[in-house]
Amino acid sequence: MNEEQGVCCARIAAHYGVMQLNVCVEELAELQQVICKAIRMNGHGKSVRKTGAEIRAGIIEEMADVRIMLEQVRLIMNISYQEISAVMDQKIERTLRQMERK
């Protein structure tokens, strides 16, 4: 996210406040739905009404929506990038350890 996008997200988050938490849930559900379409298209034999390119474009669009909303949630909940990064490091390390055990 560039600086201008971050400023705009902050303005939106400040204006709408905790109402944006519901919007975030909605956007996450939309991303989940388009990912499920991609799974159906790739090897599960179920038909979907969209082409691979359309599904890919849908994933990109929904990922953008989710990233915007996650930034707003971060601001609303007063969460620092450092806090998120620290938890991400822990989770990545845990997954790598699990992979080594298998």
Side-chain angles (χ1 to χ4, degrees):
M1 179 171 296
N2 66 38
E3 185 177 342
E4 182 180 344
Q5 292 167 336
V7 168
C8 290
C9 281
R11 286 183 58 208
I12 295 166
H15 180 80
Y16 290 105
V18 295
M19 286 176 33
Q20 292 302 83
L21 300 178
N22 287 327
V23 177
C24 183
V25 171
E26 292 169 8
E27 295 298 346
L28 288 165
E30 290 174 13
L31 177 59
Q32 178 184 9
Q33 184 179 35
V34 73
I35 289 172
C36 286
K37 286 181 183 176
I39 292 168
R40 283 199 320 257
M41 176 174 260
N42 291 316
H44 286 87
K46 296 183 180 179
S47 64
V48 293
R49 295 183 202 142
K50 297 190 179 216
T51 66
E54 290 171 324
I55 290 174
R56 183 178 184 278
I59 289 174
I60 293 168
E61 181 176 342
E62 297 307 332
M63 285 178 69
D65 288 342
V66 166
R67 288 187 64 185
I68 290 166
M69 295 311 306
L70 289 176
E71 178 63 9
Q72 290 180 44
V73 169
R74 186 189 73 75
L75 293 165
I76 291 164
M77 303 302 294
N78 196 29
I79 298 169
S80 71
Y81 289 118
Q82 293 79 11
E83 290 173 292
I84 295 169
S85 184
V87 174
M88 287 173 66
D89 287 343
Q90 292 170 1
K91 290 182 173 284
I92 290 168
E93 279 299 317
R94 182 183 65 204
T95 301
L96 291 172
R97 283 193 307 274
Q98 291 170 345
M99 289 169 52
E100 290 172 358
R101 285 184 252 169
K102 292 184 179 183

